[in-house]
Amino acid sequence: MKIVGIVGSNADFSYNRLLLEYIAKKFKKLVEIEVLDIKDVPLFNQSNDQTNSEPIQYLNKKILGADGVIIATPEYNHTIPSALQSVIEWLSFKIHPLDGKPVMIVGASYDVQGSSRSQLHLRQILDAPGVNAVVMPGNEFLLGEVHKAFDEEGNLKDGQTVQFLEVCLKKFIRFINVVNVLNAPEGMKDLSSTEDLHATGKIDTTIEGVDMLADDWVEQAAEKTGAVEGKTYVKLDRGILTVDQLNYFLNSMPAELTYADSNNQFLYYNHKYDAEEMLASRRPEQVGSPLANCHPERVYSGVAWVIQQLRTGKQEVVRTHVPTHGPDKFVVHSYQAIRDKEGNYLGINEYVQDIKPIIDWYLEQTGQQLVGGGVDAVSGATSKVDTVSGATVKDN
Ligand SMILES: Cc1cc2nc3c(=O)[nH]c(=O)nc-3n(C[C@H](O)[C@H](O)[C@H](O)COP(=O)(O)O)c2cc1C
């Protein structure tokens, strides 16, 4: 997902630019944000059409190519600066890149009320028919007394403000997905918004206070929870094993195993091979990430569909065969619902196997033969992308 952030000020030094740059830097693992300036955009003049000028076309193309837009507006005399108004006028005159585009408004200003009035005005402006942006309701992020808000490195000083900003940004990411469903052509149903693939929720086993996207999430989460390891015994149903034994046992399974919980967070895989050697590659640093960060966006809808099948109990296991490994492998991905004793959905056990050795052995033992065309390794309709927990399936 790609977002552009528009600085609503044309000043050489702007706190609103600082705010957007901070958001882009702080949340870079959550979403890619490119900060755009409006400094070079001329004042709107209906009699002197400059729609095709470089600065306006630059903004136009960047907005068209983005999934969403964040506008950071200052407050000038209780409304938005004329420079920002001018930009919106150009972008609603002969061209309309904001039409249907999800927009989040933030703002920083000197006053304690920090741009609240300009934000309200900006909402109204963006709702005009020529603009027709889809502005996220609520979640008003105001940064008052902005001259005291940042430290020397350009970071926000107040932890609660940062937390609220993160909440707003995560909601905006979900909002973008919802708007995409609304904008999708009729008949083409995008199911991505049916699941919280960014794992913004919380379940009773969620380990809080550790960045899900940290490369060393496992180490940090283990420290935070005091997780046992090595020769320590764990009582299971039914048996007792040391953590080492449990690891060896899971690694000896004839499949690549992955656990993603009901909050759509990737928690575990049996790490016995390097990513390049796996049928469905996973990397150690991916563990802990939301499923959205493990997949290309184009498969979100498919991922959400599989999870919905399991979560709602429509299917207990969803299977897909992946023919791209060539005729010598029969690779099957199985997505198995994990449930507690009451049947509540706890997540997915995805196991990936090459079932050819088992089939060959069975045929040999029983004297039977495969009839028909075998596996279609060329035109295989199945997606090349591993649908649920890991990254992209290895190409042969
Ligand atoms: C003409 C003018 C009017 C302003 N009016 C307001 C105002 O109504 N409310 C407010 O909080 N700040 C007001 N300010 C102060 C701005 O909030 C402050 O200059 C802020 O840094 C502008 O954002 P920027 O740094 O991103 O350019 C005004 C500033 C100027 C130059």
Side-chain angles (χ1 to χ4, degrees):
M1 182 175 291
K2 175 140 195 206
I3 291 176
V4 292
I6 298 178
V7 181
S9 169
N10 60 359
D12 285 339
F13 173 82
S14 156
Y15 282 111
N16 283 279
R17 185 180 304 111
L18 204 59
L19 174 61
L20 281 178
E21 280 166 355
Y22 172 76
I23 297 173
K25 178 177 68 175
K26 173 79 184 164
F27 303 110
K28 67 170 185 287
K29 289 190 172 172
L30 206 58
V31 66
E32 187 189 340
I33 301 176
E34 184 179 4
V35 179
L36 306 176
D37 260 302
I38 60 169
K39 278 202 282 188
D40 301 325
V41 176
L43 185 68
F44 179 74
N45 181 344
Q46 198 175 349
S47 314
N48 179 16
D49 182 9
Q50 297 181 62
T51 304
N52 289 328
S53 68
E54 218 277 314
I56 295 167
Q57 278 307 317
Y58 179 74
L59 284 178
N60 180 39
K61 284 181 193 142
K62 288 284 180 188
I63 294 170
L64 285 173
D67 298 294
V69 177
I70 302 175
I71 302 179
T73 181
E75 184 164 295
Y76 281 3
N77 301 327
H78 293 184
T79 188
I80 66 168
S82 48
L84 178 58
Q85 173 71 312
S86 204
V87 167
I88 299 172
E89 282 159 0
W90 283 122
L91 300 181
S92 55
F93 179 43
K94 296 279 173 68
I95 49 175
H96 306 271
L98 288 164
D99 191 356
K101 194 67 73 179
V103 175
M104 171 179 171
I105 299 174
V106 298
S109 79
Y110 262 58
D111 207 7
V112 269
Q113 292 200 44
S115 76
S116 63
R117 290 159 294 210
S118 62
Q119 289 202 27
L120 269 177
H121 286 176
L122 184 55
R123 277 179 190 279
Q124 258 186 323
I125 294 163
L126 292 170
D127 202 30
V131 186
N132 203 30
V134 190
V135 184
M136 178 167 70
N139 301 288
E140 200 172 52
F141 182 81
L142 314 165
L143 192 62
E145 300 193 300
V146 69
H147 48 297
K148 301 181 195 159
F150 293 95
D151 65 16
E152 292 86 56
E153 272 86 51
N155 296 320
L156 279 178
K157 288 194 249 177
D158 182 48
Q160 278 189 332
T161 306
V162 178
Q163 260 178 23
F164 180 59
L165 187 55
E166 183 170 353
V167 169
C168 292
L169 188 62
K170 283 182 170 170
K171 282 203 185 138
F172 184 50
I173 292 166
R174 293 173 77 175
F175 181 72
I176 290 174
N177 288 327
V178 171
V179 174
N180 283 342
V181 174
L182 284 177
N183 288 342
E186 247 176 282
M188 257 187 63
K189 218 167 164 198
D190 178 355
L191 299 169
S192 52
S193 64
T194 57
E195 278 293 327
D196 175 16
L197 297 178
H198 291 276
T200 58
K202 182 171 112 52
I203 54 174
D204 55 1
T205 46
T206 300
I207 301 164
E208 290 187 271
V210 182
D211 179 2
M212 288 183 177
L213 295 169
D215 287 354
D216 62 344
W217 179 85
V218 173
E219 286 69 30
Q220 286 193 48
E223 196 177 330
K224 184 110 192 166
T225 55
V228 296
E229 58 184 308
K231 295 187 182 348
T232 310
Y233 288 98
V234 183
K235 183 168 183 270
L236 298 158
D237 176 20
R238 173 89 201 145
I240 296 180
L241 296 171
T242 66
V243 178
D244 280 342
Q245 285 176 315
L246 202 49
N247 266 320
Y248 294 136
F249 181 60
L250 291 169
N251 286 352
S252 73
M253 290 291 172
E256 294 169 6
L257 304 176
T258 298
Y259 190 136
D261 71 11
S262 63
N263 189 36
N264 296 330
Q265 188 182 6
F266 172 22
L267 292 184
Y268 167 83
Y269 74 104
N270 59 345
H271 179 209
K272 49 182 172 175
Y273 302 122
D274 288 340
E276 305 73 49
E277 296 166 47
M278 295 180 73
L279 297 169
S281 72
R282 278 112 180 76
R283 284 172 285 107
E285 64 273 17
Q286 283 183 307
V287 180
S289 301
L291 292 183
N293 297 76
C294 304
H295 295 283
E297 210 174 317
R298 69 195 146 80
V299 300
Y300 282 4
S301 184
V303 176
W305 179 82
V306 171
I307 299 169
Q308 277 288 301
Q309 295 295 302
L310 306 178
R311 192 188 291 280
T312 59
K314 279 193 189 129
Q315 298 190 59
E316 276 308 291
V317 58
V318 176
R319 288 204 169 92
T320 175
H321 74 277
V322 179
T324 51
H325 297 269
D328 296 333
K329 287 192 169 81
F330 297 172
V331 175
V332 177
H333 291 224
S334 301
Y335 306 97
Q336 170 77 50
I338 306 174
R339 299 192 191 282
D340 64 14
K341 284 182 181 151
E342 281 76 46
N344 298 310
Y345 175 75
L346 299 182
I348 293 182
N349 173 5
E350 176 185 354
Y351 50 98
V352 179
Q353 293 165 290
D354 172 14
I355 59 170
K356 189 165 184 297
I358 302 170
I359 292 178
D360 286 348
W361 177 86
Y362 185 83
L363 294 177
E364 201 183 313
Q365 292 294 309
T366 58
Q368 296 180 67
Q369 279 187 338
L370 275 183
V371 285
V375 174
D376 177 2
V378 181
S379 66
T382 317
S383 157
K384 277 203 306 190
V385 176
D386 171 8
T387 335
V388 175
S389 15
T392 313
V393 173
K394 183 179 142 192
D395 276 343
N396 272 358

